[in-house]
Amino acid sequence: MSRSSEYVEKYAEYAMEQQRKYGIPASVTLAQGILESANGQSQLSRECNNHFGIKAGKSWIDAGGQYGLYTDDRPNEKFCRYASVADSFEHHSLILKNNSRYAQCFALQANDYQGWCRGLQKAGYATSNQYASSLISVIDRMNLTKYDKIASEQGPMAASPKMKQVSGYSFPVKRDEFLLITSLYGMRNDPITPGQKQFHKGVDIRCKGDELLATEDNGKVVNVNQNVNTGGGKSVTIEYNRPDGSKYQTTYMHLSDINVKIGDTVNAGQKIGVSGNTGTRTTGEHLHFGVKLVSTDGTARDIDPAAYLAEIAAKGNIKITAMHNGENILAQYADQVEPNPGIMPDNDLDEAKEMSPDDWMKKLLSSEDSGVQLPSNDPVMEMAITMFTSLMALAVQIDGKEREDAMTVATNAAVTRKIDLTSLTTGLRSCIMTVQENGNPILSVVSDNASFSHELTNAELTRLSNILNDNGLDNDAKRHRVSVIVNNIVVGNQMSESFNRQIGNDQTQMMQR
């Protein structure tokens, strides 16, 4: 009997139990366990009962969860240690069930194992572009779908209870998974006056015509500004009382429309306006969200809105995060806040791996919450998005950027849908890749002799994708081959322009005769 067969025989009951509790096909769980744990033979699975490569995040550790140190993307990373393999299977199911980025999987038919595999890859469970096909291959080869049928015949069983979001609390913008923070609280380069520094008294949340919401119950609107010629444009400030006599004031800036007036009482989740781009200090649509803490003696000071949002998330059991350059900015305040009495927060389930720049870009391009989602409903578009992120990763690596800088570049590239590929090419003054709203990639080239824009053909997309996905090539080899393709495009366009000019000259001469 093969090791894969031994693994299935040993753990099929666990997988079927997860299907009956959570609706995850047993075949998919088994295939993931086979691949992630090397048939239960990996060091991580043998020493930590961790069969799905789940890392130990801060919430896991703070809750007393055990962990082991292993080398994955980096040396000595922390991975969850379980008391039993059954606990590993259970935690894996909870992560999928309670993370909104896998929600589309749970909307599939119970027997659509292929849809599940593709959905897991699309949601970013693994970085390999072949993850879905590898899972499907294991399932088909080992006829694992028979366990799906057995579990279905056994019928559903009660899942572990989980806490729902508590009423009375809301984030300022409705999201399913995360708020995309484009600028943090603190010192930053002034976006309006280049070369100068500025203290940013809030966080900027990417928006696009979003309804803006009150964050707590019994808030009082204490200020409304309708003057678009001020720095923050149209704005609203809401005040919330605390039992000790202190107050929080939350301010929303750059609104396009305001739905409240001074003196109004608002409750959590109530619409107070619509995001926009008003004011003299804005470079694009977003919500500037600021928070002041007013002490009992009346003194007020600005605080990091991430600290306030972490408090709201804990009290309301709000599971979404606030992400900046791939990092959850609420995590730094997790140990400073307390949940509602009697509430057991369900926020230790998203133990995502630390993201690389291309992982972060894929998340931005595939998530509706980012506001930069590209369509991916056909193979050509998916190929374009994958190529875009791979090119970004290659450009970042070649430029030798530190991770923090690389993540910033990745964020900017995803938001603008542009990558500067000049470093990957030779003999060009500028080479920019842009992905349009419809997913079509455009190459904009400036050389000493000409400048032009070129929409990549399916054949060119395929050639680039094959190069970028070839694990046998190092970065220098990939850079060289990408450069060859771009230069061939340049030569082709120059020849086309020369031909068109010659045709034009011939026609002019014929008319003169």
Side-chain angles (χ1 to χ4, degrees):
M1 181 182 294
S2 69
R3 285 185 173 177
S4 295
S5 298
E6 290 176 354
Y7 185 94
V8 171
E9 185 174 295
K10 191 171 184 178
Y11 299 117
E13 285 294 337
Y14 291 171
M16 288 189 289
E17 178 183 346
Q18 299 308 306
Q19 178 176 327
R20 294 174 62 208
K21 290 172 68 174
Y22 302 105
I24 304 167
S27 60
V28 175
T29 300
L30 285 170
Q32 284 194 280
I34 287 170
L35 292 181
E36 299 288 345
S37 73
N39 297 310
Q41 301 302 307
S42 69
Q43 184 181 6
L44 180 62
S45 62
R46 287 185 286 104
E47 296 180 355
C48 293
N49 288 321
N50 188 331
H51 281 229
F52 299 94
I54 297 173
K55 291 185 179 179
K58 186 176 185 299
S59 56
W60 171 270
I61 296 170
D62 289 347
Q66 300 297 305
Y67 62 87
L69 297 178
Y70 297 89
T71 297
D72 187 35
D73 298 323
R74 290 175 173 79
N76 293 326
E77 292 186 281
K78 297 176 181 178
F79 286 81
C80 296
R81 182 190 297 274
Y82 302 102
S84 67
V85 176
D87 288 344
S88 176
F89 273 67
E90 177 77 9
H91 193 206
H92 167 261
S93 296
L94 288 173
I95 288 174
L96 298 184
K97 184 66 176 178
N98 295 311
N99 189 323
S100 61
R101 74 176 195 242
Y102 300 110
Q104 291 183 346
C105 290
F106 288 89
L108 298 172
Q109 295 294 322
N111 60 354
D112 188 3
Y113 70 95
Q114 294 188 358
W116 264 86
C117 294
R118 296 189 184 100
L120 290 172
Q121 177 177 312
K122 183 178 179 181
Y125 189 94
T127 57
S128 170
N129 294 327
Q130 304 301 316
Y131 191 67
S133 60
S134 297
L135 291 175
I136 293 170
S137 175
V138 171
I139 293 171
D140 290 342
R141 174 170 51 83
M142 302 192 67
N143 190 28
L144 298 183
T145 54
K146 66 182 180 183
Y147 299 104
D148 300 343
K149 296 176 182 177
I150 295 173
S152 294
E153 291 170 356
Q154 291 172 339
M157 60 188 294
S160 300
K162 81 171 178 174
M163 295 302 303
K164 301 293 184 182
Q165 180 173 328
V166 179
S167 61
Y169 300 94
S170 170
F171 273 3
V173 184
K174 186 181 184 305
R175 294 288 184 263
D176 293 323
E177 186 182 355
F178 68 98
L179 303 175
L180 175 56
I181 307 299
T182 56
S183 186
L184 296 173
Y185 174 87
M187 291 300 297
R188 67 173 184 176
N189 294 322
D190 192 326
I192 305 299
T193 310
Q196 293 189 9
K197 293 288 185 179
Q198 172 217 27
F199 191 90
H200 191 222
K201 296 181 179 180
V203 294
D204 290 344
I205 303 171
R206 184 174 175 85
C207 292
K208 191 173 183 180
D210 288 290
E211 292 187 357
L212 306 180
L213 311 174
T215 53
E216 302 181 48
D217 284 346
N218 300 314
K220 182 179 180 181
V221 179
V222 295
N223 188 55
V224 171
N225 174 50
Q226 295 280 3
N227 187 354
V228 298
N229 293 316
T230 55
K234 293 184 178 183
S235 62
V236 173
T237 299
I238 303 174
E239 188 172 85
Y240 303 98
N241 295 323
R242 288 292 183 267
D244 63 0
S246 63
K247 302 174 181 179
Y248 280 109
Q249 292 183 345
T250 61
T251 297
Y252 305 68
M253 293 184 180
H254 308 302
L255 281 62
S256 63
D257 192 27
I258 295 175
N259 297 92
V260 294
K261 62 183 183 300
I262 292 178
D264 283 353
T265 298
V266 295
N267 292 316
Q270 181 176 333
K271 179 181 176 182
I272 58 98
V274 179
S275 66
N277 189 31
T278 61
T280 59
R281 290 192 58 80
T282 176
T283 58
E285 182 176 344
H286 68 282
L287 168 64
H288 172 98
F289 183 71
V291 180
K292 285 183 183 292
L293 174 60
V294 183
S295 302
T296 53
D297 62 4
T299 59
R301 62 184 178 88
D302 295 299
I303 66 169
D304 186 349
Y308 173 76
L309 292 174
E311 177 184 330
I312 295 301
K315 288 182 175 179
N317 198 36
I318 300 172
K319 290 175 54 186
I320 66 174
T321 60
M323 304 288 289
H324 175 74
N325 290 345
E327 303 292 337
N328 175 12
I329 66 171
L330 307 189
Q332 60 186 311
Y333 297 104
D335 58 351
Q336 300 177 24
V337 298
E338 296 182 3
N340 270 334
I343 296 296
M344 181 62 68
D346 193 19
N347 57 4
D348 64 335
L349 303 176
D350 188 9
E351 309 294 345
K353 296 181 180 180
E354 185 178 66
M355 282 183 266
S356 64
D358 53 322
D359 289 336
W360 172 232
M361 184 179 294
K362 287 177 183 176
K363 184 179 183 70
L364 292 177
L365 293 175
S366 63
S367 172
E368 293 182 3
D369 287 343
S370 68
V372 298
Q373 183 187 29
L374 286 171
S376 57
N377 55 356
D378 68 58
V380 174
M381 287 184 180
E382 289 188 4
M383 184 188 299
I385 293 173
T386 300
M387 181 204 64
F388 185 80
T389 55
S390 298
L391 280 172
M392 180 71 250
L394 188 60
V396 168
Q397 292 169 356
I398 290 173
D399 286 347
K401 293 179 173 63
E402 296 294 332
R403 183 178 183 277
E404 183 176 350
D405 292 336
M407 295 299 281
T408 300
V409 172
T411 300
N412 292 337
V415 169
T416 62
R417 298 194 180 102
K418 292 182 179 179
I419 306 175
D420 187 348
L421 300 180
T422 308
S423 65
L424 304 185
T425 58
T426 57
L428 299 178
R429 284 200 263 164
S430 174
C431 182
I432 306 294
M433 171 76 74
T434 305
V435 177
Q436 298 178 309
E437 291 282 350
N438 60 7
N440 294 336
I442 303 293
L443 203 64
S444 299
V445 173
V446 177
S447 66
D448 292 334
N449 302 320
S451 61
F452 64 88
S453 293
H454 171 82
E455 182 174 330
L456 294 182
T457 65
N458 289 348
E460 290 164 346
L461 272 175
T462 300
R463 286 198 294 272
L464 281 170
S465 296
N466 289 340
I467 292 170
L468 296 167
N469 294 329
D470 189 341
N471 295 327
L473 298 176
D474 60 22
N475 286 339
D476 286 339
K478 290 180 180 180
R479 178 183 186 182
H480 172 72
R481 296 192 184 191
V482 168
S483 179
V484 169
I485 290 177
V486 172
N487 285 330
N488 286 340
I489 291 173
V490 172
V491 171
N493 274 267
Q494 289 175 340
M495 291 176 64
S496 177
E497 288 183 7
S498 298
F499 178 77
N500 290 334
R501 281 197 300 269
Q502 184 60 46
I503 292 295
N505 291 336
D506 291 344
Q507 291 176 343
T508 300
Q509 291 175 5
M510 290 178 66
M511 291 175 63
Q512 290 175 347
R513 292 173 187 168

